[in-house]
Every structure is written in C-alpha cells, then in structure tokens.
C-alpha cells in the first residue's frame, strides 16, 4: 500500500518559518513529479510548488522568493521550506506525487497538514 505522510505543519506568527516534509512509502518503483498544494477555507485547492525528478521546479507567484521546494530522491521525500510567512498562507497543505507502482503511473495525495499564520 502506497502512502504519502506529511509532517511539519503548525501555528506560526507572521514573518516566521515552517518546513513541511512528505515521505512516500510502500511498493514504489520510482517517483516522478512531487509537489505541494494548499486549500484555504472556502477556496479551491491550488498549486504551491512542484518539482520534477530531474530537479526542475515551479512556484505559485504568491510564494516565489519565500518558499523553496526540495526533494531527496533516495528517501522518497519532498520538502517545502516556507519563510516570511503571511496570514494569507494559512491553509491545509497537501503533498502530491506521481508514483510508478506495479499498476503503472499513479497519482497520490497526502492527508494534509494545517498551517496557520497569525498576524
């Protein structure tokens, strides 16, 4: 059974930092793209940052220069370093990954981790 396990969310004051982690486990042959999405109350889920296996990255305009996505392919883990956090960054953050399993290429979501930024 394949799982994405997120950690690192919490409550932080504006201007602070948090680091999210997402580890993929189970019967995985390899991992292609990994990324982070977020969903604020009453809003649609949106892409925050994504990374290909080769290291290419892209970011939402709202987080460019503040957030950094990185990954450790040996550990099947993706990270999101969030600096200079703002109250508008408050949301549930979800990990997403394209994984190669015995069934082929599949897309998986983590359970989500809450990030709350107080003003």
């Amino acid at each position: 059974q394949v799982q994405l396990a997120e950690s690192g969310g919490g409550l932080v004051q504006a201007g602070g930092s948090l680091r999210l982690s997402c580890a993929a486990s189970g019967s995985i042959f390899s991992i292609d793209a990994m990324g982070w999405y977020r969903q604020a109350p009453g809003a649609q889920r949106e892409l925050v940052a994504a990374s290909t296996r080769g290291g290419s990255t892209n970011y939402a305009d709202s987080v460019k220069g503040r957030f950094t996505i990185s990954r450790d392919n040996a550990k099947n883990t993706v990270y999101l370093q969030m600096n200079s956090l703002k109250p508008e960054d408050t949301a549930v953050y979800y990990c997403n990954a394209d994984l190669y399993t015995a069934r082929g290429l599949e897309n998986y979501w983590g359970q989500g981790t809450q990030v709350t930024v107080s003003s």
Side-chain angles (χ1 to χ4, degrees):
Q1 185 176 0
V2 175
Q3 287 186 326
L4 298 180
E6 299 142 335
S7 61
L11 173 64
V12 65
Q13 288 188 331
S17 298
L18 284 173
R19 188 191 193 210
L20 305 183
S21 299
C22 171
S25 63
S27 300
I28 302 168
F29 293 164
S30 65
I31 302 177
D32 195 356
M34 300 187 82
W36 291 93
Y37 290 71
R38 67 185 181 187
Q39 188 167 19
Q44 289 189 332
R45 191 172 297 189
E46 62 175 358
L47 175 68
V48 176
S51 171
T52 67
R53 184 172 181 84
S56 297
T57 59
N58 66 290
Y59 296 90
D61 287 343
S62 59
V63 307
K64 283 181 181 177
R66 300 188 297 122
F67 290 11
T68 302
I69 188 170
S70 61
R71 55 192 287 175
D72 184 335
N73 291 328
K75 295 182 178 180
N76 291 342
T77 300
V78 64
Y79 307 95
L80 185 68
Q81 177 66 43
M82 305 185 293
N83 298 328
S84 302
L85 282 160
K86 305 176 181 179
E88 51 263 44
D89 294 318
T90 295
V92 178
Y93 284 69
Y94 297 91
C95 176
N96 180 269
D98 290 326
L99 311 175
Y100 284 95
T101 70
R103 292 181 294 273
L105 182 63
E106 299 182 309
N107 185 261
Y108 284 85
W109 289 93
Q111 80 283 359
T113 185
Q114 178 70 46
V115 171
T116 302
V117 184
S118 63
S119 57

